[in-house]
Amino acid sequence: MSIKEGFLVELERETNNTRRILDRLKDEDLSFRPHEKSMSLGSLAGHIVDLHNWISDALTKNDFNLATDFKPLKPTQVSELKEALDEGYKRNEKTIDTFPEEEWFTSWTMRVDNYVIAEMPKLGALRFVINNHLIHHRGQLTVYLRLLDIPVPGMYGPSADEKK
């Protein structure tokens, strides 16, 4: 299996996992905040969808400046989250499918203006900055579901709410 084929499998599965959570949300859930220091559910879900879409929005650049190249999704409806995830999936799939193998090893920088947050090969950026980061936040989002008494879907097998 090539790098591209592996990432396409991961893209499909992780997008479907996020979609399963979004399918359980209601518009009135978006303002929920488990603690005053926590992001709202809508902000957290928006951040997760943004991270998915960094494949096409950030990895196609060698230098990704959060101050100028990024505008966070600020959803007011669950349908906006689903639409952004679905539209982004198509772009992400095309990005991965058309990336030349050697492109994965080129240097990628994430910054805010002149402050460099990270420098690594694009291969590392996809795994560490994008996928691991979004999986971490998606785990947080499942805690929000639990606190709202919304059944948590299984991500990598059945959840406690799906066991029979």
Side-chain angles (χ1 to χ4, degrees), residues 85-96:
L85 184 69
D86 292 344
E87 288 176 3
Y89 176 78
K90 294 173 196 162
R91 289 190 322 271
N92 294 336
E93 188 176 43
K94 183 178 179 184
T95 297
I96 291 172

Side-chain angles (χ1 to χ4, degrees), residues 111-141:
R111 69 177 67 244
V112 175
D113 293 324
N114 292 326
Y115 178 75
V116 174
I117 297 168
E119 288 181 291
M120 63 190 72
K122 289 182 180 181
L123 181 72
L126 177 57
R127 298 293 311 143
F128 178 70
V129 176
I130 298 173
N131 285 343
N132 293 355
H133 188 173
L134 80 85
I135 291 166
H136 158 75
H137 284 304
R138 198 173 58 210
Q140 287 180 303
L141 190 56

Side-chain angles (χ1 to χ4, degrees), residues 1-61:
M1 180 181 285
S2 69
I3 291 173
K4 172 178 73 172
E5 291 167 326
F7 282 150
L8 287 170
V9 168
E10 188 171 9
L11 171 69
E12 178 184 22
R13 291 184 180 171
E14 295 305 335
T15 302
N16 287 339
N17 282 341
T18 297
R19 183 68 143 111
R20 279 199 286 283
I21 291 176
L22 297 181
D23 283 343
R24 300 204 175 190
L25 301 179
K26 295 181 180 80
D27 292 342
E28 57 267 20
D29 298 329
L30 297 180
S31 62
F32 174 74
R33 215 181 263 278
H35 187 274
E36 65 186 35
K37 293 181 181 178
S38 299
M39 283 191 269
S40 70
L41 186 146
S43 294
L44 181 57
H47 184 53
I48 293 164
V49 171
D50 281 336
L51 288 167
H52 273 284
N53 294 336
W54 279 11
I55 292 171
S56 60
D57 297 343
L59 287 185
T60 53
K61 301 171 179 5

